[in-house]
Amino acid sequence: MKARTSCLLGSLSAALVAFVLASPRVSAADKVDPVADARAFQNFFFQKFPNVKHEDFVNGPYSLNEDMKRQWQEKEEFPPYEFALDAGKEMFATPFKNGKTYADCFPNGGIGVRQNYPYFDTKEGKVVTLELALNRCREANGEAPYSYVKDEMASLTAYMAFTSRGKTMDIRIPDDPRALEAFENGKRYFYTRRGQMNFSCASCHVQSPGERIRAEILAPALGILNAMPIYRSEWSGMGTTSRRFITCNSQTRAVPLEPQSDEYRDVEYFLSYVANGLPISGPGARP
Amino acid sequence: MCFEHYISANETLNLTLRNDALTAFPRKSALLLSLVVLTGLAARPAWAQSTVTEGQKLAFDRGKGNCLTCHVIKGGDLPGTIGPELKDLKVKYPDRNELAAILFDETKRNPQTMMPPFGRNRILTDQEISAIVDFLQTL
């Protein structure tokens, strides 16, 4: 019987167990407590990688491996995302046909605000990501929306991230049961195993960060969105958060969701919230 | 800790028979086949080499076992580091059914494992698992 209970416990994901261990106040039938979750989540990674500076977690696989860190520093001298950044800056400044610009859709004219996305919109009752907000801005101004996974969207978010570099992630959960539910739903999505390979997002990014899966070094889940969007040689181009989620799902033979589906929005909300306090580092470059 | 859930040798055998039945293999020939396999294992005639080669191919094939994603295996390129190096397995697991069980569904032994349940999720058939086990026993 005792062995059984421990097996059941074992079937919870590593980090969920870590939550329980790290905060004894959280009981089995726990209430949603994002503050405690974020603290436990961060502590899990800080303890697992005591030599990594906290603000370095936002550099994905590079944070965990000295050789790669050197590669990254070399890359940053001629960053492969530069063309996207330039394009994004120009697009951002170019008025729509109606004369308005992206700046009209965002607080502070869209400059230095990346750290506040995604946010929970209490009117809509849903999570709104930066990519979604950009397309809504376009549509509100009579322009066709961009593909969520292609270059234009990545260029725009690259520019907005760049103007926010160094600002710390600052995601709020308003006093609204639906916001808590979105957080919880994102957390559940993140820890649920799926697909023929039976992986959860956490299998790779919580259980195995720093390990090589074939030739690739797995990024830690902590701060995993702070560098978005990213340039990847494998893609020969830029990729948005949507593109990365879809790629991770399909590479593990799980059915990818539509970009900006509720689950993806919620998982982005969860991952961004638990990265609160860590700096924006996007756009990023990856091998 | 969770070893009481380990697939027993009998269960594995049953699964083999059930799956053969599913693929409309006459049960008798399936039994005969496993007898042949058993005899083969004892004697290791020349043709057994071919299941080993087949097993290695399946283990390395990215669309099949793709074991190199996580394991260092002698003879394979670009291995990952998520699982332990696969070597000396005959010493560690003298009973081939133990290896078959690990491939069939390692979550039985370790609910948190990263290793995909190749048999349970039908990534590999029982015959394919068996060939890979033959290969693993040579490591």
Side-chain angles (χ1 to χ4, degrees), chain A residues 183-233:
Chain A
F183 174 86
E184 191 63 9
N185 191 34
K187 176 173 153 187
R188 193 179 319 111
Y189 186 84
F190 184 78
Y191 287 106
T192 303
R193 289 178 181 250
R194 60 178 62 80
Q196 204 180 14
M197 296 297 178
N198 200 37
F199 294 135
S200 68
C201 312
S203 304
C204 288
H205 297 293
V206 175
Q207 259 180 281
S208 319
E211 297 295 340
R212 257 182 298 116
I213 186 161
R214 283 277 182 183
E216 291 199 79
I217 297 200
L218 288 166
L222 178 59
I224 201 167
L225 295 174
N226 295 43
M228 292 308 203
I230 49 175
Y231 177 93
R232 284 185 70 81
S233 322

Side-chain angles (χ1 to χ4, degrees), chain A residues 17 25 31 51 92 137 165-166 214 244:
Chain A
V17 173
R25 289 177 302 106
K31 290 206 296 275
N51 298 327
F92 205 81
C137 177
R165 274 194 176 179
R214 283 277 182 183
R244 191 62 252 190

Side-chain angles (χ1 to χ4, degrees), chain A residues 7 10 196 207 211-212 214, chain B residues 2 66 69 79 81 112-113 121:
Chain A
C7 284
Q196 204 180 14
Q207 259 180 281
E211 297 295 340
R212 257 182 298 116
R214 283 277 182 183
Chain B
C2 307
N66 201 9
T69 298
T81 57
Q112 291 185 48
T113 189
N121 277 9

Side-chain angles (χ1 to χ4, degrees), chain B residues 4 8 10 14 42 44 52 65 70 74 82 84 88 110 135:
Chain B
E4 94 258 34
S8 71
N10 277 342
N14 282 342
R44 282 233 162 263
V52 170
C70 300
K74 200 176 63 191
I82 293 169
D88 302 329
N110 171 11
F135 164 60

Side-chain angles (χ1 to χ4, degrees), chain A residues 60-94:
Chain A
Y62 295 119
S63 54
L64 305 180
N65 181 295
E66 277 306 316
D67 285 347
M68 285 190 75
K69 199 163 173 181
R70 214 165 312 115
Q71 274 181 40
W72 171 61
Q73 279 156 350
E74 282 162 19
K75 259 194 180 165
E76 282 295 298
E77 287 176 25
F78 301 98
Y81 50 74
E82 197 137 84
F83 72 94
L85 205 50
D86 292 344
K89 186 173 183 182
E90 196 181 320
M91 287 161 72
F92 205 81
T94 310

Side-chain angles (χ1 to χ4, degrees), chain B residues 5-85:
Chain B
H5 294 306
Y6 215 149
I7 302 186
S8 71
N10 277 342
E11 268 179 76
T12 315
L13 201 64
N14 282 342
L15 280 166
T16 314
L17 290 175
R18 221 181 299 134
N19 271 2
D20 282 342
L22 274 178
T23 49
F25 240 88
R27 181 162 280 228
K28 214 157 124 205
S29 71
L31 270 173
L32 265 178
L33 193 71
S34 34
L35 274 177
V36 172
V37 169
L38 283 173
T39 344
L41 271 177
R44 282 233 162 263
W47 66 262
Q49 198 55 44
S50 69
T51 42
V52 170
T53 315
E54 178 63 16
Q56 179 177 38
K57 227 166 68 202
L58 288 162
F60 289 0
D61 185 339
R62 282 177 190 254
K64 285 289 187 178
N66 201 9
C67 317
L68 287 163
T69 298
C70 300
H71 296 283
V72 171
I73 307 172
K74 200 176 63 191
D77 294 331
L78 282 182
T81 57
I82 293 169
E85 176 172 0

